[in-house]
Amino acid sequence: MPNRPNRAGPHPAADEASRSLDVVIIGAGFAGLYALYRFRDVLGLDARVYETGDGVGGTWYWNRYPGARCDSESFYYSYSFSEELEQEWEWSSKYPEQPEILAYLNHVADRFDLRRDIQLCTKVLSAAYDESAARWEVTTDRGERISATYVVTAVGCLSAANVPEIPGRDDFRGDWYHTGAWPKQGVDFSGKRVGLIGTGSSGIQATPVIAAQAEHLTVFQRTPNYTVPTRNARLRPEEWAKIKRDYRAIRQKTRETQAGFPYDVLERSAFDVSDEQRREIYEQLWAEGGFKFLWGSFGDLLRDKRANHTAAEFIRSKIREIVKDPGTAEKLCPTDHPYGSKRPPIDTDYYVTFNRPNVSLVDIKRSPIVEITPQGIRTEDATYELDTIVFATGFDAMTGSLLKIDLRGVGGLRLAEKWAAGPRTYLGLQVAGFPNLFTITGPGSPSVLLNMPVAIEQHVDWISDCIEQMRVKGFRTIQPQLDAEDAWVEHVNEVAKQTLFYEAKSWYLGANVPGKPQVFMPYVGGQPLYRQKCEAVATAGYAGFELRA
Ligand SMILES: Cc1cc2nc3c(=O)[nH]c(=O)nc-3n(C[C@H](O)[C@H](O)[C@H](O)COP(=O)(O)OP(=O)(O)OC[C@H]3O[C@@H](n4cnc5c(N)ncnc54)[C@H](O)[C@@H]3O)c2cc1C
């Protein structure tokens, strides 16, 4: 039976068919939970979260696939807004698995008494702006109509699962699953012939774990990916004691660095050192594991093709060293895009898994998938009989969940229409023509290029300060001026063009979803510059925004 999203349990009865609020928050992941805390408990607003799932946690509620874990280290892949929370919560390891992160987010919901203002099992279907009342009217799939002064989307950059439309998919006699909508009860792969499509972060995390259980695993790979070992380890009590002592400094650092990690991107170029020293640096970072390989090695890896080539070549040499069959090793070696130009995965035993006798790799760039048959997958030159298919095919990133909501601004302007050629925002926070609608980690903000809790907290704080200022100064509405929005979109494109990000067909560009306009969506200018811009705009009385009393 095909997988269905795990919306288990009956809908609790809607509290009211209609209600009036200060703020509607859509989504109960990292962003929605913090937004509720900030708006309700700090600003004193009447705020309520609406969430499709039957639990809180967002990404960590939906992505229950084997091997799912964070790849920012736990002690900074977490909230910084409460010192008490920091001091009382202890992560088991550097890179905990999905259940532990979900438990953390549930703990946050309980600890701050958030649940009473979170309505689960409720999808927001539409939000329309009523200009005469200067309010939003929001509808849900439970027949409710909610009137709100502000709508804040916390719908997630990676929350709209992308299941490819392969002919025959629905006739497959076995089970199929998408990693981003994994069944709560889990999946038993014992004795099964499993096909896994996709070698992005999720596919790379899931492959070794599924291989250890399944009778046979066939990985269907279109684009080989560069991955660096995670080197997960338990956090010992003395390490915890130090982290807890240093938390303020760690958090401060995450707000100052390019990608929101508590370590610097070194300014040095890959060519400031000798070939031997460079190799030694890469060896050390490979042994240490994690994102530091990209962010803590050389400052020009994402700007200079030659510099990037040194890192790419190092990873390829590791693949050839680890994978015993030379043909498989070559298939796993990425050559068509620079390292880091796609979202870089980190892994536990990914490459070595291809030495297992029960694992095979199929190059679907060379021999594309033609159809899914009732028995399995047929490519141009072979047929693979399968019991289970896993789609690790990622998400309609950054705009997918926003555009699934029928959002209509001034004069009935549809967001889908406005964004037909790609998303347009001012600072990734607001869209011209959609007053009082705020988009947490919206396109045009650093979002997915940052350690995301840092990006989320910065956005929620900025929005919350903005609403507070509006109340103090008696403004009812805020929206970007069109020229400020145009200039921002131009700036976002300009800085992206100075990097190697355009060299890959990535989800950052929308290239993974057929028909999606290819526009570079996140802001690559880096966190320090972005924060500076956001602060300058606020200090100048919200420059580039139109405020109305
Ligand atoms: C497998 C995986 C691993 C990741 N690891 C990392 C990591 O290590 N480091 C990092 O920085 N980031 C990571 N990310 C990115 C991750 O998405 C963010 O870190 C963070 O969890 C995003 O939180 P959020 O609240 O913005 O969105 P989400 O967690 O995606 O939550 C959005 C919520 O909105 C709900 N929603 C959407 N539309 C509607 C609607 N119309 N009505 C009602 N509800 C709706 C969804 O159901 C969802 O629960 C990872 C992502 C994935 C998929």
Side-chain angles (χ1 to χ4, degrees):
M1 199 185 69
N3 176 42
R4 297 281 175 258
N6 40 14
R7 265 182 62 163
H11 282 189
D15 300 320
E16 289 166 32
S18 67
R19 61 161 76 215
S20 182
L21 295 169
D22 293 323
V23 193
V24 161
I25 300 164
I26 312 173
F30 258 103
L33 294 178
Y34 179 49
L36 177 58
Y37 168 78
R38 231 1 248 252
F39 300 146
R40 190 193 69 182
D41 295 353
V42 181
L43 286 194
L45 299 177
D46 191 5
R48 191 168 173 85
V49 173
Y50 295 86
E51 164 59 54
T52 307
D54 74 355
V56 303
T59 290
W60 304 102
Y61 169 91
W62 296 105
N63 290 263
R64 299 166 191 253
Y65 61 85
R69 60 175 76 242
C70 59
D71 37 28
S72 306
E73 288 170 87
S74 53
F75 63 94
Y76 53 86
Y77 186 67
S78 50
Y79 291 115
S80 73
F81 71 87
S82 161
E83 287 189 32
E84 294 79 13
L85 173 65
E86 279 175 350
Q87 293 299 321
E88 74 199 15
W89 185 268
E90 290 197 359
W91 295 99
S92 65
S93 62
K94 280 163 76 174
Y95 303 98
E97 288 185 281
Q98 170 271 332
E100 194 175 334
I101 308 170
L102 184 59
Y104 169 76
L105 292 167
N106 273 284
H107 170 73
V108 170
D110 291 328
R111 196 189 183 291
F112 297 97
D113 191 21
L114 299 177
R115 290 189 201 277
R116 66 187 154 91
D117 291 304
I118 300 175
Q119 188 171 312
L120 300 171
C121 305
T122 308
K123 182 184 275 182
V124 169
L125 299 179
S126 71
Y129 186 67
D130 174 352
E131 230 179 317
S132 57
R135 291 182 71 80
W136 283 90
E137 180 147 313
V138 176
T139 69
T140 74
D141 64 350
R142 289 166 62 180
E144 296 150 290
R145 305 184 90 78
I146 307 121
S147 166
T149 314
Y150 303 98
V151 171
V152 177
T153 65
V155 294
C157 293
L158 301 170
S159 56
N162 174 38
V163 183
E165 294 293 335
I166 302 174
R169 185 191 67 198
D170 295 332
D171 301 326
F172 180 56
R173 285 215 202 102
D175 298 330
W176 65 260
Y177 307 93
H178 186 281
T179 49
W182 203 257
K184 273 188 178 168
Q185 67 277 15
V187 177
D188 184 3
F189 292 106
S190 313
K192 300 274 202 249
R193 297 161 303 173
V194 182
L196 180 143
I197 304 176
T199 50
S201 293
S202 298
I204 282 175
Q205 287 185 335
T207 290
V209 189
I210 296 176
Q213 198 183 55
E215 181 185 306
H216 192 91
L217 173 67
T218 308
V219 176
F220 294 87
Q221 171 192 273
R222 187 172 56 187
T223 313
N225 216 328
Y226 302 91
T227 167
V228 169
T230 300
R231 312 270 186 225
N232 194 16
R234 295 200 77 71
L235 283 163
R236 298 188 304 274
E238 60 276 21
E239 287 173 295
W240 259 119
K242 181 163 170 27
I243 289 168
K244 285 187 177 178
R245 266 198 320 273
D246 295 349
Y247 248 137
R248 299 281 40 86
I250 294 168
R251 299 299 192 184
Q252 188 52 33
K253 193 81 185 160
T254 63
R255 294 185 198 112
E256 289 168 356
T257 54
Q258 200 73 358
F261 299 121
Y263 43 81
D264 289 309
V265 174
L266 303 181
E267 275 313 309
R268 70 180 172 198
S269 155
F271 301 110
D272 286 345
V273 296
S274 69
D275 290 356
E276 206 172 291
Q277 284 167 328
R278 193 183 315 114
R279 172 102 201 166
E280 186 53 35
I281 289 165
Y282 286 143
E283 283 289 1
Q284 273 169 15
L285 291 169
W286 183 269
E288 194 177 326
F291 279 148
K292 252 194 188 174
F293 189 90
L294 176 64
W295 295 111
S297 54
F298 300 104
D300 52 355
L301 291 190
L302 290 171
R303 289 198 307 267
D304 178 341
K305 265 193 192 171
R306 281 174 57 244
N308 190 286
H309 181 76
T310 64
E313 197 49 35
F314 177 86
I315 298 175
R316 285 190 285 266
S317 74
K318 286 292 179 192
I319 299 171
R320 292 178 186 123
E321 208 174 285
I322 297 166
V323 179
K324 289 192 186 126
D325 174 57
T328 306
E330 281 321 301
K331 270 196 229 164
L332 286 166
C333 281
T335 51
D336 69 345
H337 64 283
Y339 169 55
S341 59
K342 288 184 170 216
R343 205 282 195 177
I346 59 174
D347 72 275
T348 303
D349 296 337
Y350 179 65
Y351 292 126
V352 78
T353 294
F354 291 91
N355 292 336
R356 293 177 67 107
N358 71 329
V359 174
S360 40
L361 180 66
V362 174
D363 177 353
I364 53 171
K365 188 165 266 167
R366 200 186 57 73
S367 174
I369 294 177
V370 177
E371 62 170 345
I372 295 179
T373 68
Q375 290 79 27
I377 290 179
R378 186 166 75 80
T379 65
E380 276 182 3
D381 58 13
T383 299
Y384 302 86
E385 292 204 354
L386 302 168
D387 303 305
T388 310
I389 298 174
V390 174
F391 291 101
T393 41
F395 302 91
D396 181 351
M398 305 208 60
T399 54
S401 286
L402 282 171
L403 291 174
K404 279 188 178 168
I405 304 169
D406 184 7
L407 277 162
R408 290 173 193 245
V410 174
L413 173 67
R414 289 175 58 230
L415 188 67
E417 224 172 277
K418 167 146 185 167
W419 285 6
R424 304 187 71 76
T425 70
Y426 182 36
L427 298 168
L429 281 160
Q430 273 216 307
V431 182
F434 294 77
N436 290 4
L437 172 81
F438 292 96
T439 49
I440 304 176
T441 64
S445 73
S447 57
V448 291
L449 298 178
L450 278 194
N451 172 39
M452 286 205 77
V454 178
I456 286 167
E457 286 190 334
Q458 187 252 339
H459 262 196
V460 172
D461 292 347
W462 192 95
I463 295 165
S464 163
D465 290 347
C466 172
I467 292 177
E468 192 182 15
Q469 283 303 307
M470 285 172 68
R471 290 164 74 88
V472 169
K473 299 201 169 127
F475 289 114
R476 288 172 80 206
T477 65
I478 182 167
Q479 65 166 317
Q481 292 161 359
L482 205 52
D483 55 351
E485 182 176 272
D486 289 346
W488 183 251
V489 172
E490 204 176 301
H491 174 63
V492 170
N493 285 321
E494 217 169 80
V495 286
K497 280 182 190 140
Q498 290 159 22
T499 68
L500 300 180
F501 280 106
Y502 270 105
E503 305 270 328
K505 290 195 172 116
S506 67
W507 56 254
Y508 295 140
L509 255 174
N512 63 326
V513 177
K516 188 166 172 168
Q518 297 203 12
V519 173
F520 196 81
M521 293 181 284
Y523 176 61
V524 296
Q527 178 177 220
L529 183 60
Y530 180 74
R531 271 187 190 261
Q532 220 178 58
K533 285 184 186 284
C534 289
E535 275 160 34
V537 162
T539 311
Y542 295 92
F545 287 95
E546 176 192 291
L547 287 142
R548 284 206 188 152

